[in-house]
Amino acid sequence: MNGERGSASVAAVMVKDRKLYYAVVGNVKVAVYRKGDLIPVSSGHTINVLAKQQYTEGKLTKQEAISLLEHHRLYNYIGQDGFHDIEFFDTPITLNGGEIITLMSDGLYDSLSWKAIEDCLAGGGACDEMALELIELINHRTDEEQDNASVVLLRVG
């Protein structure tokens, strides 16, 4: 790697008593698929997310924030000097049963439309089969700039 240090994005979820708890570092998304809708619950640590937060807090002007919205580069990840920020759940999410907890890297959610991911999850079946189907959708793309894609699915009983 020519002396370059690696970096990693990480997500963890825990389901206890039908409550979802999560933590995220980097550009991994946690989402809940429920009744046909895939609902993102994490934000991640990319420049565009930071710009939205800082605009809301009054630290950036509207124009400054808009100019940063197209930047999906990480600002926080494991392996970074001065790493300090972990996105934790604010309030646990109540699950009713039948939901599919989805952890996905940017190589998946930036490459496939949200609708394509929802359509795959709507097909039902085992989580490992749906995860493989999502990865196959990525594998059939012809983007030269395709990032690595990872997905973990967990069905709540």
Side-chain angles (χ1 to χ4, degrees), residues 79-98:
Q80 170 190 26
D81 290 337
F83 164 78
H84 65 278
D85 192 18
I86 299 175
E87 177 186 343
F88 286 103
F89 59 92
D90 291 320
T91 304
I93 298 161
T94 301
L95 303 169
N96 302 316

Side-chain angles (χ1 to χ4, degrees), residues 27-154:
N27 55 358
V28 179
K29 281 204 188 297
V30 176
V32 175
Y33 179 75
R34 176 187 286 163
K35 297 181 181 177
D37 292 317
L38 185 60
I39 303 147
V41 295
S42 67
S43 299
H45 294 119
T46 55
I47 297 294
N48 62 331
V49 171
L50 181 63
K52 289 175 194 175
Q53 284 176 327
Q54 292 196 344
Y55 171 73
T56 302
E57 294 169 7
K59 295 177 182 176
L60 286 179
T61 67
K62 183 177 180 179
Q63 286 304 88
E64 290 169 327
I66 288 171
S67 71
L68 294 172
L69 288 180
E70 294 302 315
H71 296 271
H72 294 278
R73 207 177 88 215
L74 285 173
Y75 73 87
N76 190 47
Y77 51 87
I78 295 176
Q80 170 190 26
D81 290 337
F83 164 78
H84 65 278
D85 192 18
I86 299 175
E87 177 186 343
F88 286 103
F89 59 92
D90 291 320
T91 304
I93 298 161
T94 301
L95 303 169
N96 302 316
E99 293 95 345
I100 299 172
I101 309 305
T102 307
L103 291 82
M104 55 189 148
S105 69
D106 63 334
L108 191 111
Y109 67 77
D110 278 346
S111 299
L112 297 177
S113 70
W114 210 249
K115 175 86 168 97
I117 299 168
E118 287 176 330
D119 289 348
C120 180
L121 298 176
C127 286
D128 60 340
E129 293 169 357
M130 291 185 292
L132 181 59
E133 183 180 336
L134 287 166
I135 295 302
E136 284 301 313
L137 288 172
I138 295 293
N139 288 340
H140 286 94
R141 295 180 58 85
T142 58
D143 296 347
E144 289 185 27
E145 300 291 319
Q146 177 64 47
D147 198 357
N148 294 331
S150 302
V151 62
V152 175
L153 303 175
L154 170 68

